Amino acid sequence: MENCLFCKIIDKSIPSDIVYENDNLLAFNDINPEAPVHVLIIPKIHIPTLNDLKKEHVGLLGELVFTAGILAKKLGIDKDGYRTNFNCNDAGGQTVYHIHLHLLGGRHFSWPPG
Ligand code: AMP
Ligand code: ZN
């Protein structure tokens, strides 16, 4: 998708600090981390928001969530705990319109979020 920052990260025309990659998804460190661990996990296909999900994407989304759990173990935040987050549209705090799962850890998070 032209002019999508995360599609450019996927095709490597913009560099990123990659944590994990497979045929379906890419995980990389957030450029402006909100926690000691802040990884973004994104599908390799361009889906702008959660509102654009189709039934055919259910398996892919499951893989994103599954990967968050695997990476949490790999990064050593699984025992203490961590936060996973999808933001949707403006009120939800979304700034990049290619869905991404935030994986945050290494500090304590309150609930509800601010
Ligand atoms: P959101 O606000 O949920 O859309 O999250 C977008 C995230 O992308 C923010 O946490 C940004 O810090 C992060 N971000 C923006 N540009 C880059 C980049 N070039 N590399 C890595 N992370 C980025
Ligand atoms: Zn995209």
Side-chain angles (χ1 to χ4, degrees):
M1 186 74 179
E2 260 177 80
N3 295 325
C4 170
L5 174 65
F6 286 176
C7 283
K8 288 177 183 163
I9 284 178
I10 289 162
D11 73 18
K12 314 270 165 62
S13 58
I14 290 180
S16 68
D17 185 12
I18 294 174
V19 176
Y20 176 75
E21 180 171 17
N22 70 20
D23 288 346
N24 303 319
L25 60 84
L26 182 69
F28 54 98
N29 284 314
D30 196 293
I31 204 166
N32 186 22
E34 298 287 343
V37 173
H38 189 171
V39 175
L40 301 174
I41 307 166
I42 67 175
K44 285 195 169 174
I45 58 170
H46 181 80
I47 304 169
T49 79
L50 287 191
N51 293 333
D52 301 302
L53 285 175
K54 298 189 167 49
K55 189 95 186 254
E56 71 208 47
H57 298 135
V58 166
L60 179 59
L61 264 288
E63 192 176 350
L64 256 64
V65 175
F66 176 74
T67 301
I70 297 292
L71 292 180
K73 290 190 190 82
K74 190 175 156 187
L75 297 168
I77 56 172
D78 56 315
K79 296 277 175 3
D80 282 350
Y82 53 93
R83 172 72 50 89
T84 51
N85 200 106
F86 282 106
N87 297 328
C88 183
N89 278 341
D90 186 49
Q94 187 172 9
T95 58
V96 178
Y97 284 79
H98 178 129
I99 58 169
H100 44 281
L101 178 57
H102 293 262
L103 169 63
L104 298 131
R107 69 170 172 86
H108 194 269
F109 298 94
S110 57
W111 188 261

